[in-house]
Amino acid sequence: MKKLMAAPYILLLTIFFIVPLICGLFLSFYDGVFGASFVGFSHYTQLIKSDYFIRAISNTALFILVSTITVIPLSFIIASAIFDGGNSDPFLLAPMLIPFVVPSMALYYPYVQTYAALGENQLVWVTSIFLWKQIGLHILIYFIGIILLDPHLDEAAQVDGASYFRRVICIRLPLLWPYHILSVLLAVVNSNRIFNDIYVVFGENVPSKLYMIQNLLFDLMKSMKFNSMMVIEMLFLIGIVLILLLSKLNKKVKL
Amino acid sequence: MKKKWVGKSISIIVSAALLAPIFFVILGSFISVDIKVAQTNQYHNLDFTLGQYFTLIVQDSNYFNNLMNTFWILICSVVPQIILALGCAYYLSYSNGRNSRWLYKLNVILMLLPFQLIFIPYLFVIAVIGSLGQVNLTDHMLSVIAPSLLSPFATFFLTQFMKSLPIEQVEAARIDGASDWIILRKVILPQINHVVAAVAFVSTIDIWAMLIQPLLLFTDLKKMPLALYLEAMFANKSTSYYAGAVIYLLIPIIIFIKLYHIIRKKQLSDEALKGVVEDEGTI
């Protein structure tokens, strides 16, 4: 009965993901879809050497780095300030989540005007949009983390004469380690959403500094270049599987 | 003694700063706007008017048609998505076989993949069906509904919450002769309904703001979802764009407020129940 309940999900997973993925693995070594000829690693080498791919990868990496470095400390500081200011009700932070739920397509004019106000600096603009949309979520995560910390540790340090900043840096910051990981993970995963915001302002004529991996995928999808698309898919899959294997290996070594 | 107003003031200031662009759009819908002027940020006519809403309701029949398209896509995607995710999450939570462990790992990999990459195999399926000449899924709602039925995030999230429930409840229900379906519906679901609502909401905002899939699969103005129609509105320099944008952005906000109340209510009832149990314990 349990298997029967999961059967529709497994069926869809097989039709829409597993079967095309297996076909895709073969397609990445072939040219064309039907009656394809074997080309080996030609698509892989072509893609890795192409300017678009290098630009997309470097822009995406830079954007993820800058946005994560900005959003995490800022949200930690704001969450700490709110909590230490005497507010311990996370429900009061709900309005901060609203930018996260608002669809980008409704915000064309605020985006255009922010872009003009920031002197058309593309990296600053895209980071500020990311900050605006995501910071509420990260503040909430840190806020919940701070609430769940054992208050006795902080009180003991206070009795020992530790200053406020020392307590935050030496007690709160290390104890929130799982929340830092969660926050980084969410920042990286949600950085994919920036495609919509960039598209709203620039459409398909994306400036070279904002050309991300999602734009490359979109261009490949639009031109129906399945072989190259599958190469990117395979590279991502290999990366994720490697990360999962490494984390498992790491656990085993520790044991 | 902590000064409570400091924390509240900081949260109010941060919230106000974050909500400012949304107020700007709402405000823009109540003034008569020349779009060319709006782009340069110089408003000549700032009189209060409902003209944009009037134009949108009376003259633009496509807008509400596309709004309904988005609603249909939303309902047809989210409802089956949650049902499928619940079934799979139940299997992953209460089955210890090797198959369920593999399915869980596959689900985690799928969750970590960027959405565009999950969409690639699906496009491949559409292309194969199209080239076989059987069905043309372009400009068809089904083409955006089908990939949305599968949500690894919803499955993962529900599995985690189901695993956190005490297993004794499920075992007791099974001893009493309840089937898996009854256990899910009568034992588990009432305890995680607020989580289901939260997961459904996350799916809703994703589908509501969906852009890449319609961009690739829709060309007909009447059949496309609202996100694409709004793009057409500002591309055509429509003078009722702000009003259209406000209706579009207010719907997820209203759903969010409703969800906030559901979760708040659940929290208050849990606290009240905890208080009663503690009181009985003291007595």
Side-chain angles (χ1 to χ4, degrees), chain A residues 139-232:
Chain A
I139 292 173
L140 188 69
I141 289 169
Y142 276 119
F143 193 76
I144 291 169
I146 294 168
I147 289 175
L148 294 175
L149 286 181
D150 186 359
H152 297 113
L153 292 167
D154 195 61
E155 283 164 16
Q158 202 173 0
V159 169
D160 289 347
S163 68
Y164 172 72
F165 289 105
R166 196 170 171 82
R167 275 181 283 135
V168 168
I169 292 166
C170 297
I171 296 173
R172 189 176 288 175
L173 210 56
L175 284 175
L176 286 175
W177 183 244
Y179 295 89
H180 299 315
I181 304 260
L182 179 67
S183 209
V184 170
L185 199 73
L186 274 175
V188 173
V189 171
N190 285 336
S191 63
N192 285 314
R193 290 168 183 255
I194 207 72
F195 172 86
N196 287 11
D197 305 287
I198 296 173
Y199 186 87
V200 168
V201 176
F202 299 103
E204 286 174 27
N205 306 314
V206 181
S208 63
K209 280 185 183 172
L210 293 180
Y211 194 81
M212 310 268 179
I213 197 85
Q214 295 91 344
N215 298 89
L216 176 68
L217 282 168
F218 181 72
D219 288 345
L220 291 172
M221 281 182 199
K222 201 138 200 194
S223 51
M224 291 281 172
K225 286 183 180 168
F226 283 112
N227 308 84
S228 306
M229 272 154 53
M230 289 303 175
V231 171
I232 300 183

Side-chain angles (χ1 to χ4, degrees), chain A residues 235-249:
Chain A
L235 291 175
F236 262 87
L237 268 179
I238 292 166
I240 289 171
V241 171
L242 272 178
I243 291 168
L244 290 177
L245 282 176
L246 279 174
S247 64
K248 202 172 178 182
L249 201 73

